[in-house]
Amino acid sequence: MLFQALSKIKTQTIISSLILMIVGLLMLILPEQYDGLLVEYLGYSFILFGGVMIWEFIANEKKISSWVFFTVALLLLFIGIFVLISGKDTLVVLSVVFGIFLIIDGVHSFLYAMLYARRSGINWWWILLILCVLLIIAGLNILFNPWWPTAHSLLKVIGGVLLFAAAVGIIRLILVWPIKKA
């Protein structure tokens, strides 16, 4: 049972890192005329991801953690709908959403570094701490500095930081996974 849970965490980390890489690369390589289309697809992605999480909540047993994921799913669903129906406020919403996401991911990785990477026996676990702090700073920068010169530059910044977040996730997996017995 424990090994199934660890395998599930490993698979989720790899898949989420791949998704972050793809979205980050798309944000970086798409020309400016496709910004509206990219934002529309992000709105649909939020709705789809929120719907899948709601479906998973309905299918599984109801625990306290399930209710937290259900709340997050509803937030994702509402953010996706807002992104699709809002006009000029879309980029401000995206900067808030991605800023909060990066801060939460940075704090999550920081906790993993302190709890697990330090115990894994690898001498350079502290590099993950530095990367986590940089991820939190990048999230705060996107969150509290939503006035980029153009919408295209904001999408480029978010795309670059998402690539960085994917790299931090993979480094976290590499450092945490070989947990040695005490």
Side-chain angles (χ1 to χ4, degrees), residues 75-97:
L75 284 172
L76 285 174
L77 195 66
F78 290 135
I79 289 170
I81 291 170
F82 185 75
V83 165
L84 291 177
I85 64 173
S86 68
K88 295 182 179 182
D89 295 335
T90 301
L91 291 175
V92 174
V93 170
L94 286 178
S95 67
V96 168
V97 167

Side-chain angles (χ1 to χ4, degrees), residues 27 30-33 35-36 39 88 90-92 94-95 142 145-159:
M27 287 181 161
L30 283 179
E32 190 170 354
Q33 63 262 26
D35 285 349
V39 169
K88 295 182 179 182
T90 301
L91 291 175
V92 174
L94 286 178
S95 67
I142 289 175
N145 190 11
W147 303 280
W148 299 96
T150 63
H152 188 65
S153 64
L154 175 63
L155 288 177
K156 296 290 184 192
V157 168
I158 291 173

Side-chain angles (χ1 to χ4, degrees), residues 106 109-135 164 168 171-172 174-176:
S109 295
F110 188 85
L111 291 174
Y112 263 66
M114 292 302 294
L115 294 175
Y116 301 116
R118 194 169 42 142
R119 295 180 186 166
S120 68
I122 298 174
N123 293 333
W124 46 278
W125 64 270
W126 54 271
I127 292 175
L128 185 59
L129 289 178
I130 295 170
L131 293 175
C132 296
V133 170
L134 289 174
L135 194 60
F164 178 67
V168 171
I171 291 171
R172 179 185 67 220
I174 292 169
L175 289 178
V176 170

